[in-house]
Amino acid sequence: MELKDHLTADLRDAMRAGDDLKKTTLRMALAAIKNAEIDTRAPLPEPAVLAIVQKEVKNRRESIADAETAKRPDLVAGAEAEIAILEAYLPQQISESELRDLARAAIAESGADSARQMGDVMKILMPRVQGRADGKQAGAIVRELLEG
């Protein structure tokens, strides 16, 4: 089952069960997917749908940072609950050690030897970790390996 269909089916189940948090979270994710489909005027391929769900998780993490700054634990708890719901639809995240190994392989493959060539490494690495690792974390590891 494709991710969008899975989200839609789970939304239906949440509506039947009266789970308001899951219902609103899935509706927001499906709305973001629908908006992207309207923009492209075509159904989105599976990787694009996955990227939108990841973006929704990222938005909520940013909301948590803002809510913590504003000292609003109620908003933090709500965003964390939404993240937990959305992460169930994402592929299993890879460990930091696996990410380091993939980064080392990408560095070797690209022949990079300085931080100036980080873009070349990231072009190789990101398709391999798509959906399984955060780009910010991957970039930090690549920079560390190239500088160290």
Side-chain angles (χ1 to χ4, degrees):
M1 178 183 286
E2 289 192 9
L3 181 56
K4 182 180 173 187
D5 296 333
H6 190 50
L7 289 167
T8 304
D10 285 354
L11 172 61
R12 222 174 291 121
D13 293 342
M15 290 169 67
R16 286 187 188 122
D19 186 347
D20 288 334
L21 177 65
K22 189 169 188 175
K23 180 177 68 174
T24 57
T25 302
L26 295 178
R27 276 188 176 159
M28 283 189 278
L30 286 166
I33 293 166
K34 184 70 174 170
N35 286 338
E37 287 179 338
I38 289 170
D39 289 345
T40 61
R41 298 179 185 193
L44 293 177
E46 191 71 12
V49 173
L50 181 65
I52 289 172
V53 174
Q54 288 175 318
K55 184 178 177 190
E56 291 294 311
V57 170
K58 181 180 178 185
N59 289 343
R60 279 153 183 87
R61 286 201 173 107
E62 291 169 357
S63 296
I64 288 173
D66 294 341
E68 286 173 342
T69 302
K71 296 185 183 356
R72 294 285 310 267
D74 55 325
L75 296 178
V76 171
E80 286 173 345
E82 290 177 355
I83 287 172
I85 290 168
L86 291 172
E87 282 183 336
Y89 300 97
L90 296 175
Q92 182 66 36
Q93 298 292 301
I94 59 175
S95 67
E96 186 175 339
S97 63
E98 281 182 276
L99 184 56
R100 283 186 181 282
D101 292 341
L102 289 169
R104 284 187 190 101
I107 289 169
E109 191 175 320
S110 70
D113 57 0
S114 72
R116 280 182 267 152
Q117 296 167 312
M118 188 171 161
D120 297 335
V121 176
M122 294 301 286
K123 285 179 192 172
I124 295 170
L125 179 62
M126 287 312 294
R128 294 177 184 172
V129 299
Q130 185 68 39
R132 300 182 305 141
D134 180 43
K136 194 174 188 178
Q137 181 186 18
I141 288 173
V142 168
R143 179 173 285 114
E144 176 189 322
L145 290 172
L146 287 173
E147 291 175 351

